[in-house]
């Protein structure tokens, strides 16, 4: 009788061990599977309409306002490629939410070094059409407190003009940091950076002489928002900008200019500030893009 009882106990013990052994591997597999699914759901960098090319911070940027010194500029690089509908987009109107707590809206920053040098990416507060089947690179900028950019936080996005923007999702771990604006653009948009660097180098003697012959003794009149401007050049490398705001005409600003390969740099000696005016030469004539140079919304 004892032998029979011992045999039954041994069988039950073996069955129990087998059951425990088979349950643990199954549970382990389920846990790994769930973790993998969660990680996949948390990071989405491409939808049928938009691809997130990268996100970066220029660590050298310091806000001029004392009460906003903790703000960092976050640059979001996107490629739009709508498949089913036409879009009308700009660099404003995008929202970024961090950890489902704080939401930041894009603002247009005139004369921002990163935006000027990222030639491949459209940066403007004016709407630009992107038709289905086409692609368009877009740059947007947020100002975010440095503390909200700590590692391990989730980032989500929204733009009413881009239907699937809210499907993008990454983390603050994906943000790249650079010591200068130049280093940031060189990494995020190397081709565009090369184009802008070349356009900003000194023009050769022949081109310089041609440009001066086409602008000296002439003036350009243009109107931006509520301001009327007159820009005049004269020998050898002088310029004057006159503005009319309503019925008032502030004192004209004078300075000197330099001819670059793709720009005319107009510098005011009073504060050493330079306005970069894009130009092109065609059929012996010059086209000055004064709107891009002076419109703060461009």
């Amino acid at each position: 009788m004892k032998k029979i009882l011992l045999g039954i106990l041994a069988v039950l013990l073996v069955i129990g061990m087998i059951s425990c052994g088979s349950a643990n591997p199954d549970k382990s597999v389920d846990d790994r599977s769930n973790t993998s699914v969660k990680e996949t759901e948390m990071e989405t960098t491409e939808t049928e309409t938009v691809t997130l090319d990268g996100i970066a911070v220029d660590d050298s940027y310091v806000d001029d306002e004392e009460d906003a010194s903790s703000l960092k500029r976050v640059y979001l690089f996107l490629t739009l490629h709508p498949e089913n509908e036409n879009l009308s987009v700009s660099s404003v109107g995008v929202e970024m939410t961090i950890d489902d707590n704080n939401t930041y809206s894009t603002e247009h920053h005139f004369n921002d070094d990163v935006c000027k040098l990222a030639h491949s990416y459209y940066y403007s507060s004016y709407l630009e059409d992107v038709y289905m089947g086409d692609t368009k690179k877009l740059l947007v900028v947020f100002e975010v407190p440095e503390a909200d950019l700590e590692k391990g936080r989730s980032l989500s996005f929204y733009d009413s003009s881009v239907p699937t923007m809210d499907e993008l999702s990454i983390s603050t771990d994906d943000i790249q940091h650079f010591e200068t604006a130049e280093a940031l653009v060189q990494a995020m948009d190397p081709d565009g950076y090369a184009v802008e660097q070349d356009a900003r180098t000194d023009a050769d003697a022949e081109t310089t002489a041609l440009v001066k012959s086409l602008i000296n003794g002439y003036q350009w009149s243009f109107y931006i928002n509520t301001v009327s401007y007159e820009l005049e050049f004269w020998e050898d490398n002088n310029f004057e900008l006159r503005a009319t705001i309503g019925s008032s005409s502030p004192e004209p600003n004078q300075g000197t200019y330099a001819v670059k390969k793709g720009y005319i740099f107009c510098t005011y000696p009073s504060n050493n500030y330079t306005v970069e005016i894009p130009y092109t030469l065609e059929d012996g004539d010059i086209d000055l893009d004064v709107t891009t140079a002076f419109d703060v919304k461009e």
Side-chain angles (χ1 to χ4, degrees):
M1 185 68 176
K2 289 180 180 179
K3 291 182 179 180
I4 294 173
L5 288 173
L6 288 173
I8 293 172
L9 289 172
V11 170
L12 291 173
L13 181 61
V14 170
I15 292 173
M17 291 176 66
I18 292 173
S19 299
C20 291
S22 63
N24 287 336
D26 290 343
K27 185 176 185 300
S28 177
V29 169
D30 287 343
D31 286 347
R32 287 197 300 268
S33 175
N34 290 338
T35 301
S36 176
V37 168
K38 288 179 181 178
E39 289 175 353
T40 302
E41 289 176 349
M42 285 181 63
E43 184 158 310
T44 302
T45 58
E46 183 172 3
T47 74
E48 65 179 17
T49 306
V50 58
T51 298
L52 196 158
D53 300 331
I55 185 168
V57 169
D58 171 17
D59 288 328
S60 68
Y61 170 77
V62 178
D63 196 288
D64 293 334
E65 298 181 17
E66 186 176 345
D67 61 347
S69 59
S70 68
L71 293 178
K72 292 294 184 181
R73 283 192 179 172
V74 181
Y75 299 89
L76 185 67
F77 294 82
L78 304 167
T79 298
L80 302 169
H81 42 78
E83 295 182 0
N84 301 312
E85 61 182 296
N86 302 324
L87 306 179
S88 188
V89 300
S90 74
S91 297
V92 297
V94 183
E95 294 181 348
M96 177 173 69
T97 300
I98 301 181
D99 261 3
D100 293 327
N101 291 325
N102 298 317
T103 297
Y104 304 94
S105 298
T106 51
E107 297 179 1
H108 187 268
H109 301 285
F110 179 67
N111 218 30
D112 180 275
D113 287 339
V114 170
C115 301
K116 287 194 301 183
L117 296 174
H119 181 84
S120 303
Y121 287 81
Y122 180 72
Y123 183 74
S124 173
S125 62
Y126 292 112
L127 291 172
E128 178 82 355
D129 291 329
V130 186
Y131 300 110
M132 55 184 293
D134 292 342
T135 61
K136 184 76 175 181
K137 290 183 177 294
L138 179 69
L139 175 59
V140 300
V141 185
F142 304 94
E143 289 197 341
V144 181
E146 189 172 11
D148 214 2
L149 298 175
E150 292 180 355
K151 296 285 188 179
R153 297 173 182 263
S154 64
L155 302 177
S156 58
F157 307 92
Y158 174 77
D159 185 346
S160 60
S161 301
V162 183
T164 60
M165 180 79 80
D166 58 350
E167 296 176 17
L168 296 176
S169 180
I170 57 173
S171 82
T172 49
D173 296 359
D174 297 307
I175 298 176
Q176 300 183 61
H177 289 260
F178 298 90
E179 294 182 356
T180 64
E182 289 77 10
L184 188 157
V185 180
Q186 196 167 10
M188 306 301 291
D189 182 22
D191 292 339
Y193 178 80
V195 170
E196 286 298 328
Q197 286 298 101
D198 183 64
R200 285 172 164 76
T201 59
D202 292 339
D204 58 35
E206 182 180 356
T207 302
T208 299
L210 175 59
V211 168
K212 286 188 174 184
S213 71
L214 294 172
I215 65 174
N216 283 340
Y218 296 93
Q219 72 174 34
W220 276 256
S221 299
F222 53 101
Y223 186 83
I224 298 175
N225 299 322
T226 59
V227 183
S228 175
Y229 293 92
E230 288 182 348
L231 177 63
E232 184 177 357
F233 299 91
W234 68 91
E235 295 183 349
D236 176 47
N237 58 342
N238 302 291
F239 78 92
E240 180 177 273
L241 180 69
R242 299 180 291 273
T244 302
I245 304 173
S247 59
S248 64
S249 298
E251 287 294 320
N253 287 312
Q254 293 184 355
T256 58
Y257 71 85
V259 181
K260 307 295 181 178
K261 286 185 177 180
Y263 291 90
I264 295 175
F265 279 13
C266 296
T267 303
Y268 302 107
S270 59
N271 56 9
N272 208 35
Y273 178 76
T274 298
V275 177
E276 303 173 356
I277 307 177
Y279 77 89
T280 54
L281 295 171
E282 187 174 354
D283 298 329
D285 201 359
I286 189 169
D287 180 19
L288 288 185
D289 189 357
V290 290
T291 302
T292 295
F294 290 96
D295 189 350
V296 296
K297 294 183 179 182
E298 278 287 357

